[in-house]
Amino acid sequence: MFDLVILATLLGLGYFFGRYYESRHYKSIFRREAEYRNILVVASRIPPVTEKPNASLLVMGSVVISVDYFKRFLASLRSLIGGRVISYESLLDRARREAVLRMKKQASTMGADKIFNIKYETASISKNARGGIGSIEVLAYGTAFIPVKS
Amino acid sequence: MKYRNPAIPEGINTTETNPLKEFVFLTSVVIACIIIITTILALLIDSAAEIIPFEFEVAISQDIAKTLNNEHNKVDDYLQGLADQIIPHMNLPEDMKIQVHYVDKDVVNAMATLGGHVLVYRGLLEKLPNENALVMLLGHEIAHIKLRHPVKALGKGVTISLILSAVLGSSSDSVSELINDTSMLTMLSFSRDQEQASDNVGIKVLNSYYGHVQSATDLFQTFKSEHKKAGVNVPQFLSTHPDIESRIEHLNNMAKKQNWIQQGTINSIPEHIFKRIKIAPETVTSFE
């Protein structure tokens, strides 16, 4: 009985705090995505041939987000019966977009106007820690081009 | 080539659903599956346990028998004598030997275990108002043995925990906790059914031994006042035993339905037994 109360409390905490942080994070993502829209992000490896000289620079953005108890509980249940792990989709979406935004911010402070050859890396932290709450890291990196005034 | 970074519509990489809906769906599917699997397994094991010979039960209960006191004092002899008198009313199989043991401990309880051993604790014996209640108690406990409840419970416990640990491994996250609890609560309903079945046999024995069912529910009144004193109030679904009120009501209904005589003589437990119980409580030495 006591176990059930603890479980319900943890699930409640996970649900309410998880929802709160998620909606707050998405608001911030939408705002900053609009703010940095002027910096182009392109996956192509080959930059366009241009007459203007450019300085190039490695830029990266990385973020670590923890999964909450509620999301993890849903995912564990999913692992029993299969199907899409919807509860983790938004977590990874937020992490990828946040990583790109941080990369753009870095590029912007360096005066760059576009980033080429962007790549992502995803790592799960505390993968082997049993019972530990998992968290994910997403790293986005690319080559920023800074227009050089001649 | 022209490069652009327009705003991309939302909801492509994520799914807009209410997580609570997902939660309710997933938990109910998993809980329903566990209940069904546990129930099927428990029913299979219950019917399989009836084939296990009683000798085998006696053989595996050797260790239990060793831990019980074998020095029979007057109380043991009295309880055993009473049991021997009611056993002819119970149609036990020939090879089923019942041994009643008196345990000098404060526990307000009695139990039946593997190999035909019945344990009656001092805590309960000293609170029983009369011999009729004691006959009801012994009838109930011997019924557990007759109906092979200890071996069934053992079989279910071992099999289900084996399967659960094979499926869940040694992980101790909240989901395995949920599965364990669900399975355990399902098993409790089997335990309550066993208690009910033993109550039915108990009152039947009481009726055929005395010719009436006077004081059939005294045993439960004792438990009730004990629970009240201790302030415990466990909801039925979390308990190994049915709710006391419903047990009393069930027995009263059964007596009415069977047209058993409800009034009769109340036999008291012999005074020398009571003296013996109260003179020799476990001496607790304290060094305060």
Side-chain angles (χ1 to χ4, degrees):
Chain A
M1 189 63 187
F2 194 57
D3 287 358
L4 286 176
V5 175
I6 292 177
L7 180 64
T9 313
L10 287 173
L11 284 175
L13 280 178
Y15 178 71
F16 288 109
F17 281 100
R19 289 279 274 187
Y20 171 69
Y21 285 124
E22 186 155 293
S23 76
R24 210 174 67 161
H25 192 194
Y26 264 122
K27 267 180 208 152
S28 145
I29 287 173
F30 295 153
R31 183 176 52 74
R32 285 179 298 146
E33 274 181 350
E35 192 181 315
Y36 289 117
R37 186 140 292 134
N38 60 327
I39 297 176
L40 287 174
V41 177
V42 179
S44 161
R45 280 179 61 205
I46 302 153
V49 183
T50 158
E51 285 170 9
K52 289 180 200 155
N54 274 318
S56 64
L57 180 74
L58 173 73
V59 283
M60 61 173 86
S62 129
V63 63
V64 179
I65 300 185
S66 171
V67 61
D68 59 62
Y69 201 88
F70 184 78
K71 278 190 164 52
R72 211 170 93 104
F73 189 80
L74 287 190
S76 308
L77 287 174
R78 267 289 171 213
S79 75
L80 293 172
I81 63 172
R84 286 189 299 145
V85 188
I86 292 169
S87 67
Y88 280 177
E89 285 179 352
S90 58
L91 187 80
L92 279 151
D93 185 54
R94 277 159 62 200
R96 279 190 303 263
R97 289 164 81 166
E98 180 66 35
V100 169
L101 281 169
R102 290 182 179 185
M103 181 183 71
K104 279 185 166 186
K105 188 178 179 186
Q106 202 179 34
S108 151
T109 48
M110 303 306 287
D113 61 353
K114 49 188 170 296
I115 306 167
F116 270 77
N117 198 13
I118 171 180
K119 290 192 168 75
Y120 290 97
E121 303 277 346
T122 307
S124 102
I125 294 175
S126 74
K127 186 183 269 167
N128 296 319
R130 266 189 179 236
I133 289 272
S135 38
I136 49 153
E137 188 214 11
V138 173
L139 168 73
Y141 58 98
T143 308
F145 286 108
I146 305 165
V148 176
K149 282 172 195 143
S150 52
Chain B
M1 196 188 249
K2 189 104 176 94
Y3 295 104
R4 287 189 318 126
N5 267 173
I8 294 162
E10 292 299 319
I12 294 173
N13 287 330
T14 54
T15 313
E16 268 302 318
T17 49
N18 187 345
L20 287 178
K21 224 159 98 186
E22 169 113 337
F23 174 77
V24 170
F25 168 72
L26 287 173
T27 41
S28 42
V29 166
V30 169
I31 287 176
C33 286
I34 299 300
I35 290 176
I36 292 169
I37 293 169
T38 311
T39 308
I40 292 174
L41 273 174
L43 288 172
L44 280 176
I45 294 162
D46 270 0
S47 54
E50 294 187 0
I51 312 168
I52 299 174
F54 188 72
E55 284 164 49
F56 176 73
E57 210 184 295
V58 173
I60 58 171
S61 69
Q62 291 298 330
D63 289 338
I64 300 173
K66 268 182 219 155
T67 62
L68 298 167
N69 69 325
N70 290 314
E71 304 164 27
H72 282 250
N73 64 24
K74 286 236 169 81
V75 185
D76 289 276
D77 291 341
Y78 165 69
L79 292 172
Q80 185 69 51
L82 196 59
D84 290 342
Q85 281 175 48
I86 65 174
I87 285 169
H89 298 271
M90 295 191 70
N91 302 324
L92 292 191
E94 294 247 322
D95 61 337
M96 203 174 267
K97 207 176 137 232
I98 305 290
Q99 284 170 278
V100 188
H101 308 264
Y102 166 66
V103 186
D104 193 1
K105 279 188 183 150
D106 271 330
V107 189
V108 186
N109 207 354
M111 57 183 267
T113 183
L114 293 171
H117 297 282
V118 173
L119 278 66
V120 180
Y121 290 90
R122 171 169 50 78
L124 178 59
L125 192 55
E126 70 189 4
K127 288 187 184 70
L128 284 181
N130 48 50
E131 200 178 60
N132 304 50
L134 183 56
V135 168
M136 175 75 198
L137 173 73
L138 288 174
H140 172 99
E141 299 303 338
I142 297 168
H144 276 311
I145 291 163
K146 182 191 172 189
L147 300 170
R148 310 298 302 277
H149 290 165
V151 76
K152 283 178 184 174
L154 177 74
K156 275 182 286 198
V158 169
T159 316
I160 289 176
S161 56
L162 203 69
I163 289 173
L164 283 180
S165 64
V167 173
L168 303 171
S170 58
S171 68
S172 58
D173 65 357
S174 45
V175 170
S176 50
E177 210 172 273
L178 176 84
I179 292 174
N180 271 320
D181 286 355
T182 309
S183 164
M184 198 192 72
L185 290 179
T186 313
M187 298 265 277
L188 285 183
S189 91
F190 280 86
S191 168
R192 287 193 295 269
D193 288 349
Q194 290 187 341
E195 295 302 329
Q196 185 89 77
S198 295
D199 279 355
N200 293 349
V201 176
I203 193 169
K204 224 178 267 172
V205 172
L206 186 72
N207 182 56
S208 80
Y209 182 66
Y210 286 116
H212 59 79
V213 293
Q214 170 74 43
S215 301
T217 56
D218 282 9
L219 173 65
F220 302 107
Q221 299 295 353
T222 308
F223 282 126
K224 203 169 124 184
S225 61
E226 274 312 298
H227 284 202
K228 225 178 230 168
K229 233 189 275 172
V232 279
N233 188 17
V234 185
Q236 174 161 302
F237 79 102
L238 287 173
S239 171
T240 51
H241 288 63
D243 178 50
I244 291 182
E245 290 295 345
S246 68
R247 285 173 90 174
I248 294 174
E249 199 186 306
H250 175 79
L251 290 177
N252 286 336
N253 286 344
M254 191 169 164
K256 254 179 234 157
K257 220 186 239 170
Q258 302 279 348
N259 276 327
W260 286 330
I261 303 160
Q262 301 210 32
Q263 308 291 326
T265 46
I266 297 173
N267 299 50
S268 52
I269 295 172
E271 201 52 43
H272 70 275
I273 297 298
F274 264 123
K275 265 187 197 149
R276 180 93 209 174
I277 297 169
K278 283 183 182 151
I279 288 166
E282 216 169 308
T283 27
V284 183
T285 330
S286 79
F287 294 98
E288 276 177 311

